[in-house]
Amino acid sequence: MANNDSDGDELESLRLQIRGITLEIMKKAHERMELARQVGRVKGRLGRDIKDEKAEQEVRLMVIREAQAMGMSSEFALRLLNMLLGESEAVQAAGMAQMAPSSITATNDDKKKSSQKKMTHLAVFQKAKQMEAQGIKIIHLEVGEPDYSAPASAGLALASSYAQGRYHYTDTRGIPQLRIAIANRAGVKDEARVMVTPGGRFAVFAAIAGLLRPGDELITIEPAWPAYRECADFIGARTKVLRTSIESGWTPDLRELESMINSATKMIALNYPNNPTGKVLDRKTMDAIVALARDRGLYLLSDEVYADYAFRPFTSALEYDYDRAIVVSSFSKTYAMTGFRVGYAVASADSIKKMARVQAAGVTSVAEPVQLAALAALAEDPSHNVELMKGRLKFLSARLKEMSLRFVEPDGAMYAYPQLPSGGGEMIIQDDMDLVEKLLEKGVAIAPGSGFGDSYKKFVRISACRPEKEMEEGLAAMAAVLGKKEAP
Ligand code: PLP
């Protein structure tokens, strides 16, 4: 009894101390945010970007050093830091926004640039759709949506699902027949390794939300489809960006990749064949990335929705039998089934279990009729679509060459990613958004390069999802806006 009393006292005393420390942490976090607000104002006056990777890396190294010195888990310390950094960026942005315009000592051009809202290809698509609703004709070269038809068998399966009474909730991971068919196609033996998702996009979200925690780090290789970063932001994970360049043929620097990994790093996201560049990694590079992920125990999220549109040998992450690989695929691109919203993930049964919790919480399952349509599509041969896209990409590349634009010929996917010409006296185009807006006025929609990474304001993405005649018309308008003479 006496012992119980003294333990009770000790517990109370410990709780009191914990409360005190919690308050101190709160006060310090508040002070830190106030300083961040001031940093935002100063950066605004200096015309600097909010994100400063060098400063971030310095504080990160300090935290690792100090955590180790005090015997604290550096993984936990970095997760805490990453949460503070995320909040700090939001507060700095607010600090910048509070500044009176008169206190900004930037040039008019800078002001124009900073006031310009960054747009993704989807935002351009929405704007183009609004214009269409007003009766304006638009040539859609901004969106990755094939114009050819979904397989007729998919439509028939959809229609007959009603007569068969197949319109019920299913296993969160999908109906067994479809998961078995996908497992066979992917060359894995166990359908417990497969989950059918509402599009490849949700497979990406389920992987990031199901496998990462707030404060964990994810590495993306840009330019890339922006969803990896968006999903990480959404769950409070932090994105580190490995930039690639047109000069290196969009090849990632593996030493740099390795140097970005620390104890908070949990996942590398790969996007090959790449959207927007069309780059396909060679086998050696893929071997090295998988070896690095394996060595450091990292998840490898390999988004392979364009794998069927690879026009040089493509190595899937599935070929490595790595238990932390998650491969994402989709019916959208191969079978032109974007609006069906069906894709899938193949991973270890354990990863699939964690991802299925996200899917169960968010959507229960993919609609059963849609799963039946996907099952029918899987039996079809998509080579006609693949050949069509290959021809269109060839056509697009030839036209961009005639326009003397610099770009790396795509190895796959459905896009080209040319660089804007760097100037000359008569150049009227400042950056990607400038060209996007000027072309939209002429009824041609293209995607701004910066939607695929902040460093790519001098690039645009042209989609090859429309017939050659339309691409021709759109590119002629682009050539005219760029002030380029077309070859005779
Ligand atoms: N992954 C990449 C790389 C994409 O470019 C896209 C769409 O553009 C998707 C996934 C989304 O596919 P889904 O329609 O299956 O969600």
Side-chain angles (χ1 to χ4, degrees):
M1 202 63 195
N3 246 357
N4 271 356
D5 279 352
S6 70
D7 282 348
D9 290 347
E10 188 181 350
L11 187 59
E12 198 46 41
S13 150
L14 289 170
R15 280 185 175 149
L16 264 178
Q17 289 178 61
I18 283 179
R19 265 179 228 154
I21 289 174
T22 306
L23 265 184
E24 272 178 52
I25 294 173
M26 274 176 61
K27 280 184 197 148
K28 287 292 170 198
H30 182 64
E31 276 174 47
R32 193 183 194 284
M33 290 314 146
E34 196 40 53
L35 289 172
R37 194 181 306 277
Q38 290 175 36
V39 168
R41 286 193 206 114
V42 178
K43 280 185 180 168
R45 286 201 295 274
L46 292 171
R48 297 239 187 114
D49 283 343
I50 288 177
K51 206 158 171 60
D52 183 337
E53 278 176 18
K54 189 163 166 275
E56 205 175 282
Q57 185 61 2
E58 279 166 12
V59 70
R60 193 175 275 121
L61 291 175
M62 178 194 78
V63 163
I64 295 173
R65 202 173 49 238
E66 293 298 318
Q68 281 166 351
M70 61 179 93
M72 179 186 187
S73 148
S74 62
E75 183 192 330
F76 175 59
L78 280 175
R79 273 202 284 127
L80 264 182
L81 173 70
N82 281 337
M83 281 191 244
L84 289 171
L85 290 174
E87 201 60 32
S88 203
E89 276 171 13
V91 168
Q92 284 188 40
M96 229 181 231
Q98 271 173 6
M99 289 170 58
S102 58
S103 65
I104 302 177
T105 55
T107 63
N108 274 343
D109 259 350
D110 287 339
K111 279 185 207 165
K112 196 176 139 215
K113 259 188 249 163
S114 67
S115 70
Q116 239 171 25
K117 253 181 79 195
K118 203 181 97 178
M119 268 175 121
T120 62
H121 58 290
L122 280 180
V124 176
F125 178 62
Q126 300 298 345
K127 199 165 168 187
K129 282 276 175 200
Q130 281 168 14
M131 290 170 71
E132 263 175 344
Q134 291 159 13
I136 302 167
K137 181 181 165 260
I138 300 285
I139 296 176
H140 287 281
L141 304 182
E142 82 285 29
V143 70
E145 179 157 41
D147 63 331
Y148 29 86
S149 296
S153 59
L156 287 174
L158 196 61
S160 59
S161 66
Y162 181 78
Q164 291 168 13
R166 300 283 306 266
Y167 44 75
H168 297 285
Y169 296 134
T170 74
D171 184 315
T172 289
R173 296 164 303 170
I175 55 174
Q177 304 104 294
L178 179 55
R179 287 166 58 219
I180 290 167
I182 290 169
N184 285 338
R185 188 166 204 245
V188 299
K189 292 188 188 74
D190 184 3
E191 74 268 22
R193 294 186 55 192
V194 175
M195 178 163 80
V196 183
T197 56
R201 184 182 278 276
F202 200 82
V204 167
F205 181 71
I208 291 175
L211 302 173
L212 302 188
R213 286 190 292 175
D216 282 347
E217 287 180 17
L218 161 99
I219 298 177
T220 62
I221 304 175
E222 286 186 352
W225 191 50
Y228 321 113
R229 182 200 275 266
E230 288 164 359
C231 292
D233 280 355
F234 204 75
I235 65 142
R238 195 144 182 91
T239 307
K240 272 200 190 154
V241 176
L242 174 63
R243 292 186 182 85
T244 60
S245 65
I246 191 167
E247 289 78 18
S248 71
W250 306 116
T251 304
D253 179 334
L254 298 179
R255 261 189 291 177
E256 200 182 336
L257 178 63
E258 190 166 8
S259 74
M260 294 166 77
I261 298 170
N262 60 45
S263 48
T265 313
K266 291 286 147 33
M267 184 181 272
I268 299 174
L270 297 182
N271 168 205
Y272 297 98
N274 179 264
N275 172 8
T277 63
K279 170 89 182 165
V280 170
L281 289 185
D282 59 37
R283 172 105 207 178
K284 233 174 93 195
T285 309
M286 193 64 186
D287 286 353
I289 294 176
V290 177
L292 182 62
R294 204 189 285 271
D295 184 48
R296 307 296 284 265
L298 305 179
Y299 286 112
L300 192 65
L301 175 62
S302 187
D303 180 346
E304 301 179 3
V305 303
Y306 298 106
D308 287 315
Y309 296 110
F311 305 120
R312 56 173 279 181
F314 170 74
T315 312
S316 165
L318 281 173
E319 292 179 31
Y320 295 87
D321 204 19
Y322 175 45
D323 67 343
R324 291 196 160 217
I326 305 104
V327 168
V328 169
S329 195
S330 175
F331 292 82
S332 290
K333 315 294 179 178
T334 304
Y335 300 103
M337 288 170 64
T338 47
F340 283 70
R341 306 308 303 128
V342 58
Y344 57 89
V346 181
S348 71
D350 183 54
S351 295
I352 290 291
K353 219 189 248 172
K354 291 176 179 152
M355 291 165 63
R357 289 181 58 205
V358 179
Q359 180 142 298
V363 295
T364 304
S365 69
V366 173
E368 191 176 16
V370 167
Q371 294 190 54
L372 293 168
L375 183 62
L378 216 50
E380 299 290 340
D381 174 8
S383 54
H384 175 73
N385 295 350
V386 173
E387 283 309 307
L388 189 64
M389 185 53 69
K390 191 175 178 183
R392 284 185 182 174
L393 275 180
K394 258 204 181 125
F395 173 81
L396 176 58
S397 296
R399 296 295 289 114
L400 293 175
K401 275 184 204 159
E402 281 168 22
M403 289 162 71
S404 307
L405 289 176
R406 188 178 184 202
F407 71 108
V408 177
E409 228 166 293
D411 300 326
M414 315 193 304
Y415 318 98
Y417 197 55
Q419 188 171 31
L420 301 179
S422 56
E426 79 280 19
M427 271 303 297
I428 46 157
I429 294 299
Q430 303 295 325
D431 59 18
D432 58 345
M433 279 311 303
D434 197 15
L435 179 60
V436 165
E437 278 168 7
K438 288 200 166 85
L439 270 180
L440 211 48
E441 282 166 20
K442 293 184 180 297
V444 179
I446 59 167
S450 54
F452 304 91
D454 291 337
S455 326
Y456 305 100
K457 288 188 172 65
K458 295 288 178 191
F459 291 84
V460 290
R461 188 193 74 174
I462 318 275
S463 163
C465 289
R466 303 297 305 169
E468 287 177 12
K469 199 169 154 295
E470 267 181 58
M471 281 199 272
E472 176 85 54
E473 213 180 309
L475 291 170
M478 182 163 138
V481 171
L482 288 173
K484 285 267 162 192
K485 284 269 176 295
E486 294 197 58

